[in-house]
Amino acid sequence: MVAPGCSCSKLAPMTDRISIDLESGEVIEESGSRVVRSTLDSPEGFAAVSRAWLRAGWQCRHVYTFTWLGRPIIQLPEDMFRVQEAIHAIRPDVIIETGVAHGGSLVFYAALCRVMGRGRVIGVDIEIRPRNREAIESHELADLITLVQGDSAAPPTVDRVRSLVQPDDTVFVMLDGSHARDHVLAELKAYAPLVSVGSYIVAADGIMRDLAGLRRHADTRETGDWSWNNPRDAVEAFLETNGEFEPGAPPFEFNESPLADPVSYWTGGWLKRIRPQH
């Protein structure tokens, strides 16, 4: 039997229970009196095991074990593979990311731009620590990265970012700063007008809604009840008053499997621009 946890920390009490019988290949999900059985080789079984793995990885800080070209990236590798598929298909002139941290994801996007021979990156954060700024600005891909320091949702910061984008630029936006609902909603309203038709704005870490109550909740800078104070709730509120975007991650670029849904922390965070701003 395998439960969604790990040896490095204890999970808070959970209503769901997932049992995996490796010998029979059966996966059993229990929630109250409801019991769902599936097989490991089915999309349903894979999804159940993936949910358990994502929870365990969150608790163990799995994403804090990766770098990209020398900079800590703090992202789920599955998410980065999927976002590179979208970026390669869209080939944006500008990739805007809120939330700089160590700069690993900025360097990742810059590397894609270099390989494609097209694009540049703008990183926005309320605080860019001196040693991180130095590392980013001295990186071999620094010529493709512009750093903007300031509250990502504040009008002066948004105006500064807007000034770095040309009217005919194709723009892709990634929101990965503060994950509080109201802040993400403000970012969505501020940066959505910059997104090109056919491109995306993505709010990271919508999985927080599913992780409400986990112990590591208290270890992050985000506060409040994650059951509502999360990026996914912000996306849903944004869509209530905006008909220019539709929700949904891009379909897999290549797929010879029975699977259709990504394994992701960015649950419910992908929004595609389908029509221009009125």
Side-chain angles (χ1 to χ4, degrees):
M1 181 180 296
V2 179
C6 67
S7 61
C8 62
S9 63
K10 295 181 179 179
L11 289 172
M14 296 168 52
T15 56
D16 294 337
R17 181 183 180 88
I18 299 176
S19 302
I20 304 171
D21 188 327
L22 295 176
E23 184 175 352
S24 68
E26 185 178 48
V27 181
I28 304 172
E29 296 179 87
E30 300 174 65
S31 182
S33 60
R34 181 172 177 265
V35 178
V36 177
R37 297 176 181 270
S38 54
T39 59
L40 275 172
D41 60 357
S42 69
E44 295 78 13
F46 178 78
V49 173
S50 296
R51 286 192 297 271
W53 179 78
L54 287 170
R55 282 177 172 262
W58 184 277
Q59 289 293 98
C60 291
R61 300 170 70 90
H62 172 60
V63 297
Y64 287 78
T65 66
F66 301 98
T67 62
W68 182 264
L69 296 180
R71 298 305 303 154
I73 192 167
I74 315 179
Q75 297 286 1
L76 196 68
E78 282 85 350
D79 282 324
M80 300 314 289
F81 263 85
R82 297 302 177 195
V83 77
Q84 70 80 25
E85 290 180 346
I87 289 171
H88 183 260
I90 297 164
R91 295 181 175 267
D93 297 293
V94 181
I95 300 169
I96 300 168
E97 180 173 52
T98 64
V100 169
H102 297 274
S105 53
L106 296 181
V107 172
F108 178 89
Y109 298 133
L112 295 179
C113 292
R114 180 74 85 214
V115 170
M116 293 188 298
R118 177 188 181 110
R120 52 197 169 85
V121 184
I122 302 171
V124 187
D125 205 311
I126 194 169
E127 179 188 9
I128 303 173
R129 295 178 180 177
R131 66 178 181 179
N132 289 335
R133 177 184 288 276
E134 180 182 0
I136 295 166
E137 292 181 342
S138 63
H139 197 276
E140 52 263 47
L141 293 171
D143 61 309
L144 295 175
I145 301 172
T146 300
L147 296 175
V148 176
Q149 183 161 302
D151 181 342
S152 58
T157 307
V158 177
D159 289 344
R160 169 61 177 151
V161 173
R162 189 181 295 113
S163 74
L164 298 171
V165 178
Q166 299 302 312
D168 59 347
D169 281 340
T170 299
V171 179
F172 179 98
V173 177
M174 185 76 221
L175 306 178
D176 193 23
S178 169
H179 296 318
R181 176 193 179 278
D182 290 347
H183 182 82
V184 176
L185 181 56
E187 286 186 321
L188 286 164
K189 292 177 179 178
Y191 291 96
L194 296 177
V195 178
S196 307
V197 174
S199 187
Y200 291 84
I201 185 168
V202 185
D205 292 340
I207 195 174
M208 286 168 57
R209 180 195 287 178
D210 303 319
L211 303 178
L214 292 188
R215 186 173 178 182
R216 214 197 109 200
H217 179 163
D219 298 334
T220 73
R221 59 180 173 170
E222 313 300 342
T223 59
D225 182 354
W226 282 8
S227 66
W228 65 268
N229 192 26
N230 63 72
R232 206 185 323 173
D233 274 56
V235 167
E236 292 169 0
F238 174 77
L239 288 172
E240 288 177 0
T241 59
N242 192 302
E244 298 161 8
F245 290 81
E246 66 178 12
F252 296 165
E253 289 286 313
F254 169 79
N255 190 2
E256 292 185 352
S257 81
L259 307 175
D261 299 315
V263 177
S264 177
Y265 278 175
W266 300 351
T267 312
W270 287 79
L271 294 177
K272 183 178 182 178
R273 179 154 224 152
I274 56 174
R275 57 179 63 93
Q277 188 173 14
H278 295 300

mmCIF file of all heavy atoms in Angstrom, residues 105-131:
data_model
loop_
_atom_site.group_PDB
_atom_site.id
_atom_site.type_symbol
_atom_site.label_atom_id
_atom_site.label_comp_id
_atom_site.label_asym_id
_atom_site.label_seq_id
_atom_site.Cartn_x
_atom_site.Cartn_y
_atom_site.Cartn_z
ATOM 1 N N SER A 105 13.945 30.017 -14.295
ATOM 2 C CA SER A 105 12.956 29.940 -15.366
ATOM 3 C C SER A 105 13.188 31.027 -16.410
ATOM 4 O O SER A 105 12.957 30.812 -17.603
ATOM 5 C CB SER A 105 11.531 30.016 -14.809
ATOM 6 O OG SER A 105 11.367 31.146 -13.980
ATOM 7 N N LEU A 106 13.684 32.205 -15.990
ATOM 8 C CA LEU A 106 14.038 33.235 -16.967
ATOM 9 C C LEU A 106 15.131 32.727 -17.902
ATOM 10 O O LEU A 106 15.072 32.930 -19.124
ATOM 11 C CB LEU A 106 14.525 34.503 -16.259
ATOM 12 C CG LEU A 106 13.533 35.245 -15.366
ATOM 13 C CD1 LEU A 106 14.199 36.490 -14.782
ATOM 14 C CD2 LEU A 106 12.276 35.634 -16.135
ATOM 15 N N VAL A 107 16.124 32.060 -17.326
ATOM 16 C CA VAL A 107 17.211 31.503 -18.133
ATOM 17 C C VAL A 107 16.675 30.397 -19.046
ATOM 18 O O VAL A 107 17.084 30.273 -20.204
ATOM 19 C CB VAL A 107 18.341 30.988 -17.225
ATOM 20 C CG1 VAL A 107 19.385 30.219 -18.027
ATOM 21 C CG2 VAL A 107 18.997 32.152 -16.488
ATOM 22 N N PHE A 108 15.741 29.596 -18.541
ATOM 23 C CA PHE A 108 15.116 28.552 -19.355
ATOM 24 C C PHE A 108 14.443 29.163 -20.584
ATOM 25 O O PHE A 108 14.653 28.708 -21.715
ATOM 26 C CB PHE A 108 14.101 27.793 -18.501
ATOM 27 C CG PHE A 108 13.341 26.715 -19.223
ATOM 28 C CD1 PHE A 108 13.831 25.426 -19.283
ATOM 29 C CD2 PHE A 108 12.135 26.996 -19.831
ATOM 30 C CE1 PHE A 108 13.122 24.421 -19.944
ATOM 31 C CE2 PHE A 108 11.419 26.008 -20.496
ATOM 32 C CZ PHE A 108 11.905 24.720 -20.552
ATOM 33 N N TYR A 109 13.641 30.194 -20.367
ATOM 34 C CA TYR A 109 12.951 30.835 -21.491
ATOM 35 C C TYR A 109 13.947 31.500 -22.440
ATOM 36 O O TYR A 109 13.780 31.450 -23.666
ATOM 37 C CB TYR A 109 11.943 31.866 -20.981
ATOM 38 C CG TYR A 109 10.848 31.278 -20.121
ATOM 39 C CD1 TYR A 109 10.488 31.875 -18.911
ATOM 40 C CD2 TYR A 109 10.181 30.119 -20.496
ATOM 41 C CE1 TYR A 109 9.493 31.333 -18.116
ATOM 42 C CE2 TYR A 109 9.186 29.575 -19.708
ATOM 43 C CZ TYR A 109 8.846 30.185 -18.510
ATOM 44 O OH TYR A 109 7.862 29.639 -17.732
ATOM 45 N N ALA A 110 14.976 32.121 -21.874
ATOM 46 C CA ALA A 110 15.991 32.747 -22.711
ATOM 47 C C ALA A 110 16.706 31.707 -23.565
ATOM 48 O O ALA A 110 17.042 31.970 -24.731
ATOM 49 C CB ALA A 110 16.987 33.517 -21.845
ATOM 50 N N ALA A 111 16.955 30.529 -23.003
ATOM 51 C CA ALA A 111 17.600 29.463 -23.770
ATOM 52 C C ALA A 111 16.726 29.048 -24.951
ATOM 53 O O ALA A 111 17.229 28.805 -26.062
ATOM 54 C CB ALA A 111 17.890 28.267 -22.867
ATOM 55 N N LEU A 112 15.423 28.961 -24.729
ATOM 56 C CA LEU A 112 14.519 28.638 -25.828
ATOM 57 C C LEU A 112 14.575 29.717 -26.905
ATOM 58 O O LEU A 112 14.596 29.416 -28.106
ATOM 59 C CB LEU A 112 13.090 28.488 -25.314
ATOM 60 C CG LEU A 112 12.811 27.336 -24.340
ATOM 61 C CD1 LEU A 112 11.341 27.351 -23.921
ATOM 62 C CD2 LEU A 112 13.166 25.994 -24.956
ATOM 63 N N CYS A 113 14.599 30.963 -26.473
ATOM 64 C CA CYS A 113 14.681 32.074 -27.434
ATOM 65 C C CYS A 113 15.964 31.985 -28.254
ATOM 66 O O CYS A 113 15.948 32.196 -29.470
ATOM 67 C CB CYS A 113 14.621 33.411 -26.702
ATOM 68 S SG CYS A 113 13.032 33.776 -25.924
ATOM 69 N N ARG A 114 17.066 31.681 -27.586
ATOM 70 C CA ARG A 114 18.345 31.570 -28.285
ATOM 71 C C ARG A 114 18.295 30.458 -29.334
ATOM 72 O O ARG A 114 18.725 30.630 -30.470
ATOM 73 C CB ARG A 114 19.465 31.296 -27.288
ATOM 74 C CG ARG A 114 20.833 31.152 -27.914
ATOM 75 C CD ARG A 114 21.386 32.510 -28.361
ATOM 76 N NE ARG A 114 22.037 33.172 -27.238
ATOM 77 C CZ ARG A 114 22.046 34.496 -27.053
ATOM 78 N NH1 ARG A 114 21.433 35.292 -27.904
ATOM 79 N NH2 ARG A 114 22.659 35.032 -26.016
ATOM 80 N N VAL A 115 17.767 29.309 -28.937
ATOM 81 C CA VAL A 115 17.704 28.172 -29.855
ATOM 82 C C VAL A 115 16.787 28.482 -31.041
ATOM 83 O O VAL A 115 17.094 28.132 -32.191
ATOM 84 C CB VAL A 115 17.235 26.908 -29.110
ATOM 85 C CG1 VAL A 115 16.931 25.787 -30.091
ATOM 86 C CG2 VAL A 115 18.286 26.459 -28.112
ATOM 87 N N MET A 116 15.659 29.144 -30.764
ATOM 88 C CA MET A 116 14.710 29.453 -31.832
ATOM 89 C C MET A 116 15.168 30.621 -32.697
ATOM 90 O O MET A 116 14.632 30.844 -33.781
ATOM 91 C CB MET A 116 13.327 29.774 -31.234
ATOM 92 C CG MET A 116 12.646 28.596 -30.568
ATOM 93 S SD MET A 116 10.936 28.940 -30.070
ATOM 94 C CE MET A 116 11.191 30.278 -28.875
ATOM 95 N N GLY A 117 16.140 31.389 -32.185
ATOM 96 C CA GLY A 117 16.573 32.574 -32.911
ATOM 97 C C GLY A 117 15.545 33.680 -32.901
ATOM 98 O O GLY A 117 15.514 34.540 -33.784
ATOM 99 N N ARG A 118 14.731 33.684 -31.849
ATOM 100 C CA ARG A 118 13.643 34.663 -31.779
ATOM 101 C C ARG A 118 13.209 34.807 -30.327
ATOM 102 O O ARG A 118 13.090 33.816 -29.602
ATOM 103 C CB ARG A 118 12.462 34.190 -32.615
ATOM 104 C CG ARG A 118 11.225 35.089 -32.572
ATOM 105 C CD ARG A 118 10.067 34.419 -33.261
ATOM 106 N NE ARG A 118 8.876 35.257 -33.265
ATOM 107 C CZ ARG A 118 8.375 35.834 -34.349
ATOM 108 N NH1 ARG A 118 8.958 35.660 -35.516
ATOM 109 N NH2 ARG A 118 7.286 36.578 -34.259
ATOM 110 N N GLY A 119 12.974 36.041 -29.895
ATOM 111 C CA GLY A 119 12.374 36.264 -28.595
ATOM 112 C C GLY A 119 13.325 36.805 -27.544
ATOM 113 O O GLY A 119 14.547 36.711 -27.678
ATOM 114 N N ARG A 120 12.738 37.386 -26.511
ATOM 115 C CA ARG A 120 13.465 37.905 -25.362
ATOM 116 C C ARG A 120 12.561 37.764 -24.147
ATOM 117 O O ARG A 120 11.351 37.493 -24.284
ATOM 118 C CB ARG A 120 13.872 39.363 -25.570
ATOM 119 C CG ARG A 120 12.734 40.276 -25.964
ATOM 120 C CD ARG A 120 13.219 41.601 -26.553
ATOM 121 N NE ARG A 120 12.135 42.350 -27.151
ATOM 122 C CZ ARG A 120 11.321 43.157 -26.496
ATOM 123 N NH1 ARG A 120 11.491 43.325 -25.170
ATOM 124 N NH2 ARG A 120 10.359 43.814 -27.104
ATOM 125 N N VAL A 121 13.135 37.960 -22.965
ATOM 126 C CA VAL A 121 12.435 37.659 -21.719
ATOM 127 C C VAL A 121 12.450 38.875 -20.807
ATOM 128 O O VAL A 121 13.473 39.554 -20.686
ATOM 129 C CB VAL A 121 13.102 36.459 -21.001
ATOM 130 C CG1 VAL A 121 12.327 36.072 -19.759
ATOM 131 C CG2 VAL A 121 13.246 35.271 -21.943
ATOM 132 N N ILE A 122 11.313 39.135 -20.169
ATOM 133 C CA ILE A 122 11.200 40.194 -19.165
ATOM 134 C C ILE A 122 10.803 39.546 -17.846
ATOM 135 O O ILE A 122 9.783 38.859 -17.770
ATOM 136 C CB ILE A 122 10.149 41.254 -19.562
ATOM 137 C CG1 ILE A 122 10.498 41.883 -20.908
ATOM 138 C CG2 ILE A 122 10.024 42.321 -18.471
ATOM 139 C CD1 ILE A 122 9.399 42.779 -21.458
ATOM 140 N N GLY A 123 11.617 39.734 -16.809
ATOM 141 C CA GLY A 123 11.327 39.184 -15.492
ATOM 142 C C GLY A 123 10.956 40.283 -14.520
ATOM 143 O O GLY A 123 11.657 41.290 -14.427
ATOM 144 N N VAL A 124 9.858 40.092 -13.798
ATOM 145 C CA VAL A 124 9.325 41.114 -12.902
ATOM 146 C C VAL A 124 9.215 40.555 -11.490
ATOM 147 O O VAL A 124 8.696 39.445 -11.293
ATOM 148 C CB VAL A 124 7.924 41.582 -13.365
ATOM 149 C CG1 VAL A 124 7.452 42.765 -12.524
ATOM 150 C CG2 VAL A 124 7.919 41.922 -14.845
ATOM 151 N N ASP A 125 9.705 41.310 -10.502
ATOM 152 C CA ASP A 125 9.585 40.863 -9.119
ATOM 153 C C ASP A 125 9.647 42.072 -8.203
ATOM 154 O O ASP A 125 10.347 43.048 -8.493
ATOM 155 C CB ASP A 125 10.701 39.883 -8.748
ATOM 156 C CG ASP A 125 10.299 38.951 -7.606
ATOM 157 O OD1 ASP A 125 9.786 39.454 -6.587
ATOM 158 O OD2 ASP A 125 10.484 37.726 -7.744
ATOM 159 N N ILE A 126 8.916 41.989 -7.089
ATOM 160 C CA ILE A 126 8.913 43.087 -6.133
ATOM 161 C C ILE A 126 10.272 43.237 -5.460
ATOM 162 O O ILE A 126 10.649 44.323 -5.028
ATOM 163 C CB ILE A 126 7.792 42.888 -5.086
ATOM 164 C CG1 ILE A 126 7.549 44.185 -4.305
ATOM 165 C CG2 ILE A 126 8.108 41.706 -4.165
ATOM 166 C CD1 ILE A 126 6.301 44.154 -3.448
ATOM 167 N N GLU A 127 11.026 42.121 -5.370
ATOM 168 C CA GLU A 127 12.371 42.169 -4.799
ATOM 169 C C GLU A 127 13.271 41.203 -5.563
ATOM 170 O O GLU A 127 13.048 39.989 -5.553
ATOM 171 C CB GLU A 127 12.370 41.786 -3.319
ATOM 172 C CG GLU A 127 13.761 41.804 -2.700
ATOM 173 C CD GLU A 127 13.806 41.240 -1.289
ATOM 174 O OE1 GLU A 127 12.781 40.681 -0.839
ATOM 175 O OE2 GLU A 127 14.861 41.350 -0.651
ATOM 176 N N ILE A 128 14.265 41.733 -6.229
ATOM 177 C CA ILE A 128 15.266 40.910 -6.893
ATOM 178 C C ILE A 128 16.522 40.994 -6.047
ATOM 179 O O ILE A 128 17.180 42.034 -5.976
ATOM 180 C CB ILE A 128 15.541 41.399 -8.323
ATOM 181 C CG1 ILE A 128 14.234 41.419 -9.136
ATOM 182 C CG2 ILE A 128 16.579 40.498 -9.001
ATOM 183 C CD1 ILE A 128 14.371 42.043 -10.505
ATOM 184 N N ARG A 129 16.825 39.923 -5.345
ATOM 185 C CA ARG A 129 17.940 39.950 -4.404
ATOM 186 C C ARG A 129 19.255 40.191 -5.148
ATOM 187 O O ARG A 129 19.461 39.671 -6.252
ATOM 188 C CB ARG A 129 17.991 38.651 -3.626
ATOM 189 C CG ARG A 129 16.761 38.469 -2.734
ATOM 190 C CD ARG A 129 16.766 37.164 -1.984
ATOM 191 N NE ARG A 129 15.583 37.032 -1.141
ATOM 192 C CZ ARG A 129 15.290 35.964 -0.412
ATOM 193 N NH1 ARG A 129 16.107 34.915 -0.451
ATOM 194 N NH2 ARG A 129 14.199 35.941 0.328
ATOM 195 N N PRO A 130 20.141 40.971 -4.536
ATOM 196 C CA PRO A 130 21.380 41.357 -5.228
ATOM 197 C C PRO A 130 22.168 40.194 -5.805
ATOM 198 O O PRO A 130 22.642 40.261 -6.945
ATOM 199 C CB PRO A 130 22.165 42.100 -4.141
ATOM 200 C CG PRO A 130 21.109 42.677 -3.256
ATOM 201 C CD PRO A 130 20.006 41.654 -3.225
ATOM 202 N N ARG A 131 22.310 39.099 -5.055
ATOM 203 C CA ARG A 131 23.126 37.992 -5.577
ATOM 204 C C ARG A 131 22.430 37.296 -6.735
ATOM 205 O O ARG A 131 23.095 36.790 -7.653
ATOM 206 C CB ARG A 131 23.468 37.005 -4.465
ATOM 207 C CG ARG A 131 22.314 36.242 -3.857
ATOM 208 C CD ARG A 131 22.828 35.273 -2.797
ATOM 209 N NE ARG A 131 21.746 34.510 -2.196
ATOM 210 C CZ ARG A 131 21.924 33.591 -1.253
ATOM 211 N NH1 ARG A 131 23.149 33.333 -0.821
ATOM 212 N NH2 ARG A 131 20.904 32.929 -0.758
#
